[in-house]
Amino acid sequence: MNLDNGLRIGQSKDTHRLVPGRDLYIGGVKIEHYQGLLGHSDADVLLHAIIEAIIGAMGKGDIGKHFSDKDDQYKGISSMILLEKTYEMMASEGYEIVNVDSLVVIEKPRMAKYIPLMKENIARVLHTDIDNINVKATCSEGLGYIGEEKGADAHAVVLIRKCFK
């Protein structure tokens, strides 16, 4: 008996170091802050977690397999472009987003005022309704590398559906 309803789930976590002299991008939003995230691309920790969760849901490996930090074509690239490429990969395989649930963990700055724009960015690129995208944020109450403002994490869970036509 085949019970395949076309639903696939993926999850991921991403971490980047905070350093001076870099712009801070989270969820495709440039955020004014004295530090930014260190990485080969723009190091958008939230988009990286979402990208990898989508890739995982399709059973296609991880973000590094598709967007290697050893490949110069991705040096400094906007993670919004990487999310677009991930959407194209997903759509070409016949999948669509059911929903995304994500969490940003960063001590400062506070994310609340940026979340609506993050959700808009993600929904637009993934060609889905904004109600299918959830972004939450928290801090670590001064504990660990996040609390010491040395880094940021993001977690994402995605549900995708095969489009049967």
Side-chain angles (χ1 to χ4, degrees):
M1 176 166 59
N2 184 358
L3 298 176
D4 185 7
N5 58 7
L7 294 174
R8 305 283 303 260
I9 193 166
Q11 66 89 33
S12 186
K13 173 190 181 239
D14 194 44
T15 302
H16 284 277
R17 182 182 308 271
L18 280 163
V19 296
R22 292 264 308 187
D23 289 331
L24 179 61
Y25 288 95
I26 299 179
V29 178
K30 185 176 180 182
I31 298 169
E32 291 303 318
H33 194 55
Y34 72 99
Q35 295 186 99
L37 294 168
L38 183 63
H40 186 69
S41 66
D42 64 4
D44 187 322
V45 70
L46 175 59
L47 295 185
H48 289 186
I50 292 170
I51 289 165
E52 188 163 79
I54 292 169
I55 291 169
M58 292 188 296
K60 300 288 183 186
D62 61 25
I63 192 171
K65 178 178 177 183
H66 298 275
F67 309 112
S68 173
D69 62 3
K70 308 288 187 259
D71 190 332
D72 284 343
Q73 72 174 314
Y74 302 122
K75 185 161 179 60
I77 195 169
S78 166
S79 294
M80 290 294 288
I81 294 171
L82 301 180
L83 186 62
E84 287 173 11
K85 291 177 180 291
T86 304
Y87 170 78
E88 291 165 4
M89 181 189 333
M90 182 183 76
S92 75
E93 295 277 333
Y95 288 101
E96 66 183 2
I97 291 290
V98 176
N99 75 306
V100 173
D101 188 26
S102 61
L103 172 67
V104 177
V105 187
I106 190 168
E107 198 68 20
K108 292 179 186 169
R110 298 293 190 197
M111 295 287 112
K113 70 180 180 182
Y114 303 106
I115 287 175
L117 185 52
M118 291 176 191
K119 288 177 59 170
E120 286 177 29
N121 287 343
I122 295 163
R124 183 183 68 252
V125 172
L126 294 179
H127 300 263
T128 192
D129 190 276
I130 196 165
D131 292 337
N132 297 333
I133 306 298
N134 191 41
V135 176
K136 306 175 296 277
T138 191
C139 66
S140 65
E141 302 294 333
L143 298 173
Y145 66 90
I146 293 173
E148 295 170 359
E149 298 183 56
K150 294 180 179 177
D153 287 347
H155 304 257
V157 176
V158 302
L159 185 63
I160 61 175
R161 169 179 44 225
K162 189 79 154 185
C163 305
F164 296 105
K165 297 192 178 169

